[in-house]
Amino acid sequence: MMAFGLIALIAGAASALMFASIVSGALISLVLFYLAPLPLMVAAIGWGPLCASLGGIAAAIGLGALFGLPYCIAFAVTVALPAWWLGHLVLLSRQVGHVTPDAATEPPAGPELEWYPVGRILLWIAGFATLTTIAALLTLGTDADTIMGTLRRGLMRILRATDPQASGEADQFVDALVRIAPAAATIVAMMTLTLNLWLSAKVTATSGRLRRPWPDLMTAELPPMTLVALCIALAFCFTGGLLAIVAQITTAALMMSYALTGFAVLHTLTLALKSRTFWLGSTYAVVVVFGWPVIAMVILGLADAVFGFRERFLRSRQPPPLPTP
């Protein structure tokens, strides 16, 4: 029990230090800030969600005592809560049946477990990215005009600090940035949460503490109703006010979910290629360097959700059934 508590405190302290490093203003602190959930996620997956919850509570209290209540709430919402819940989902399973032993002399086999699907975990990550982005924007104001005005003033202050001779073209550039800022923040939150969960699972798997088999990521797919939710969110994007901002954030998160499933589709459809590694590596490099080609992955993920490309491809690779005598 002492070791369990010590691990929880170490994980919480590491996450709190990485989260608070943003105060320094150094460039490396931005990387540490985005990786802040990683220690708590490792604790949640390797030692259980209770370990992460204890570490997160201790870290939030410590940050609140040192920097004030806003830091405590921000850490709890953006770091501790996602780390605890996603770690819980990774370890969530249900019994689906018993494996029959081959011989009467063999001991009875353990129950067969069905683990929480990767696609649903991805949907939860999108939900947390949406929640944290909305929560961050609400600290700037409670209506769309106030939020956008605060964002614009902040960006103009940064631009004028770097270029005191900023002209009218700079104003148009800032206006464009303000319009895409909520969606961009959602995409960053989505990708960093996904990266943290993948890294934490890899760390625990390497250490031998991962209690579930490594999932086949090529089979990751979102629930069918996700497409309906995306269509509704897209429709509300054409309204106005705070509702439109919330809809844009939700749309960005769901589209990034389909982009990630699009990569899973690409991994599946390239199984038959001899130069598969080259094509996959080139695709990842182009997306990382330029960014906008991720739209192709979104389209691929949406097309698979509608037409079932992976299912058709895998069915075509199966050998034909043997003729009946």
Side-chain angles (χ1 to χ4, degrees):
M1 192 63 184
M2 286 285 293
F4 182 86
L6 185 61
I7 291 169
L9 290 177
I10 291 173
S15 287
L17 287 173
M18 294 166 74
F19 181 84
S21 67
I22 197 69
V23 178
S24 68
L27 186 60
I28 189 64
S29 66
L30 190 62
V31 178
L32 295 175
F33 175 80
Y34 283 122
L35 291 176
L38 182 59
L40 287 176
M41 283 186 178
V42 171
I45 298 174
W47 285 268
L50 179 60
C51 184
S53 62
L54 292 176
I57 291 171
I61 293 174
L63 285 172
L66 291 175
F67 299 103
L69 185 60
Y71 275 84
C72 172
I73 297 175
F75 178 84
V77 173
T78 63
V79 177
L81 180 61
W84 164 71
W85 185 247
L86 293 176
H88 165 71
L89 294 180
V90 167
L91 301 179
L92 191 62
S93 64
R94 64 181 180 181
Q95 183 176 329
V96 294
H98 292 273
V99 179
T100 306
D102 294 335
T105 56
E106 294 183 10
E112 184 181 351
L113 298 178
E114 180 184 9
W115 297 92
Y116 199 74
V118 175
R120 293 182 179 273
I121 294 178
L122 195 59
L123 196 59
W124 275 103
I125 292 175
F128 279 120
T130 302
L131 173 65
T132 55
T133 306
I134 293 173
L137 290 179
L138 288 178
T139 62
L140 306 178
T142 56
D143 60 89
D145 293 336
T146 304
I147 292 172
M148 292 304 177
T150 306
L151 280 175
R152 192 179 189 283
R153 288 191 295 271
L155 290 173
M156 286 297 299
R157 198 178 303 119
I158 295 172
L159 183 63
R160 285 170 181 162
T162 56
D163 183 13
Q165 304 298 325
S167 61
E169 293 182 359
D171 292 344
Q172 297 176 359
F173 176 69
V174 169
D175 288 339
L177 284 181
V178 168
R179 292 190 188 97
I180 66 173
T186 307
I187 292 171
V188 171
M190 178 85 185
M191 298 310 297
T192 52
L193 268 179
T194 305
L195 177 63
N196 278 307
L197 186 61
W198 183 84
L199 285 175
S200 60
K202 277 293 183 183
V203 169
T204 50
T206 303
S207 64
R209 296 199 65 91
L210 185 62
R211 284 176 275 173
R212 67 174 287 173
W214 190 263
D216 183 5
L217 298 180
M218 290 193 298
T219 62
E221 60 180 0
L222 297 172
M225 288 302 294
T226 307
L227 193 58
V228 178
L230 177 59
C231 293
I232 294 173
L234 275 171
F236 279 109
C237 286
F238 297 97
T239 60
L242 189 60
L243 179 61
I245 296 177
V246 173
Q248 292 165 12
I249 292 171
T250 306
T251 300
L254 293 178
M255 282 192 171
M256 283 309 300
S257 301
Y258 277 109
L260 293 174
T261 58
F263 280 108
V265 176
L266 185 65
H267 276 261
T268 302
L269 299 183
T270 54
L271 285 173
L273 296 180
K274 294 182 179 179
S275 54
R276 180 172 182 261
T277 303
F278 169 77
W279 288 111
L280 289 177
S282 299
T283 303
Y284 279 104
V286 168
V287 170
V288 170
V289 172
F290 297 102
W292 63 264
V294 75
I295 297 173
M297 294 297 102
V298 176
I299 295 173
L300 186 57
L302 288 170
D304 179 71
V306 175
F307 301 108
F309 288 153
R310 276 181 292 184
E311 183 181 352
R312 295 183 183 184
F313 176 80
L314 294 175
R315 193 186 305 127
S316 67
R317 287 173 56 89
Q318 293 176 355
L322 295 175
T324 56

